[in-house]
């Protein structure tokens, strides 16, 4: 694990514990968690070349509905070349609540990959990306739309067949989630999503997931089966295949079974 990432996880844990102890009567509700997972899947795509990962999250929610958060994870340098092997997400937004468990959530997230990038056509391209979201939550049902605000969504900047430069701002993702409680502390997790890469439709995919999460005191345990139909390659042209430094390629879509354990602080 990179030293900077390990330090960040320790800092998240300490900040979560200290903030939670100091803010019991404040308008902000602060919390955090540490997670160990068998794989890091983002919309069904492995970010760690199918290897285990440690992650941390720190959240602050204001009584007005405003929220801010920070997420950190290790990632594969096959996915994010020349970087530190770290992903840091900063996010925030506002939830307008009505009724019992219903809200509309509007927000922005920045995905940051320190140092990661590459040269393409004489240009430096980095992977840092911003997305805006609008979500509707009705009890256990969630529908969320995402749109990319960055010129190059996660570094996608050239047509894989012609090599011509393209801008992928406006890339979109629509997801539907249903998480009913099956029994006290046991939740079913169902998900379906559709990704469209603007000007790069060869990379479009659909991803689905079915899993369960069990809550026990400050711990939660989950297992989920996932599938992403993104193509590994078309002919001799790689699509959703990422290559390690030794030239070994892995299909980062496909099917996977992911298990995780998380502790809240």
């Amino acid at each position: 694990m990179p030293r900077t990432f390990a330090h960040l996880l320790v800092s998240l844990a300490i900040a979560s514990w200290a903030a939670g102890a100091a803010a019991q009567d404040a308008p902000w509700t602060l919390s955090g968690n540490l997670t160990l997972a068998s794989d890091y899947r983002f919309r069904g795509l492995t970010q760690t070349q199918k290897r285990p990962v440690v992650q941390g999250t720190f959240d602050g929610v204001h009584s007005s509905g405003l929220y801010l958060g920070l997420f950190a994870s290790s990632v594969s340098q096959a996915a994010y070349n020349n970087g530190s092997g770290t992903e840091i997400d900063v996010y925030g937004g506002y939830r307008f609540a009505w009724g019992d468990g219903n809200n509309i959530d509007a927000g922005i997230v920045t995905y940051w990959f320190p140092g990661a990038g590459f040269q393409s056509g004489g240009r430096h391209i980095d992977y840092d990306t911003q997305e805006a979201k609008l979500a509707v939550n009705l009890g256990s049902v969630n529908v969320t739309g995402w749109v990319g605000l960055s010129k190059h969504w996660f570094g996608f900047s050239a047509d894989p067949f012609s090599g011509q430069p393209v801008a992928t701002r406006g890339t979109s993702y629509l997801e539907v989630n249903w998480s009913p409680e099956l029994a006290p502390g046991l939740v079913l997790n169902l998900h379906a999503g559709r990704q469209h890469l603007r000007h790069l439709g060869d990379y479009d995919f659909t991803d689905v997931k079915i899993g369960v999460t069990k809550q026990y005191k400050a711990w939660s345990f989950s297992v989920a089966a996932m599938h992403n139909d993104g193509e590994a390659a078309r002919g001799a042209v790689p699509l959703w295949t990422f290559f390690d430094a030794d030239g070994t390629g892995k299909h980062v879509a496909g099917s996977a079974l992911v298990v995780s354990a998380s502790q809240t602080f």
Side-chain angles (χ1 to χ4, degrees):
M1 184 186 304
R3 177 178 294 182
T4 55
F5 178 63
H7 287 173
L8 181 58
L9 283 180
V10 171
S11 299
L12 281 170
I14 293 173
S16 299
W17 176 83
Q24 295 183 15
D25 298 321
W28 285 93
T29 299
L30 305 174
S31 63
N33 65 68
L34 290 176
T35 298
L36 174 63
S38 61
D39 191 1
Y40 172 19
R41 292 265 164 172
F42 176 73
R43 298 175 185 171
L45 301 168
T46 178
Q47 307 294 289
T48 54
Q49 297 291 74
K50 305 177 183 179
R51 300 185 182 102
V53 63
V54 179
Q55 302 171 324
T57 302
F58 178 56
D59 287 308
V61 180
H62 193 267
S63 56
S64 66
L66 180 71
Y67 64 90
L68 299 168
L70 178 69
F71 167 82
S73 177
S74 57
V75 293
S76 167
Q77 293 195 26
Y80 303 101
N81 306 150
N82 308 312
S84 64
T86 302
E87 174 186 342
I88 302 171
D89 302 345
V90 180
Y91 53 89
Y94 180 80
R95 296 187 186 102
F96 173 76
W98 81 94
D100 184 14
N102 304 326
N103 65 73
I104 295 176
D105 181 348
I108 292 179
V109 57
T110 296
Y111 309 89
W112 179 40
F113 305 92
F118 59 95
Q119 296 295 318
S120 176
R123 303 170 299 156
H124 177 78
I125 307 294
D126 60 43
Y127 297 94
D128 301 343
T129 297
Q130 278 194 326
E131 287 188 320
K133 74 168 183 178
L134 181 63
V136 177
N137 298 287
L138 301 173
S140 61
V141 177
N142 161 270
V143 179
T144 304
W146 301 81
V147 61
L149 305 178
S150 306
K151 183 177 181 179
H152 299 125
W153 183 85
F154 288 96
F156 284 87
S157 57
D159 185 283
F161 298 96
S162 68
Q164 293 299 309
V166 296
T168 47
R169 180 182 289 117
T171 288
S172 61
Y173 183 71
L174 178 64
E175 62 178 309
V176 179
N177 303 281
W178 183 39
S179 302
E181 189 173 53
L182 301 177
L186 181 66
V187 175
L188 175 67
N189 306 125
L190 299 178
H191 161 88
R194 178 65 180 173
Q195 182 81 60
H196 172 63
L197 271 71
R198 190 179 184 199
H199 300 143
L200 289 178
D202 295 305
Y203 287 99
D204 289 1
F205 61 74
T206 298
D207 70 295
V208 294
K209 179 179 78 171
I210 179 171
V212 292
T213 299
K214 174 62 178 176
Q215 189 74 34
Y216 178 72
K217 297 183 179 180
W219 288 89
S220 64
F221 305 90
S222 69
V223 58
M226 307 177 185
H227 179 73
N228 180 303
D229 68 359
E231 292 185 78
R234 189 168 299 170
V237 178
L239 293 173
W240 291 110
T241 297
F242 295 163
F243 294 88
D244 282 315
D246 62 3
T248 303
K250 286 188 174 67
H251 182 201
V252 297
S255 300
L257 183 69
V258 177
V259 296
S260 66
S262 178
Q263 185 178 28
T264 300
F265 297 93

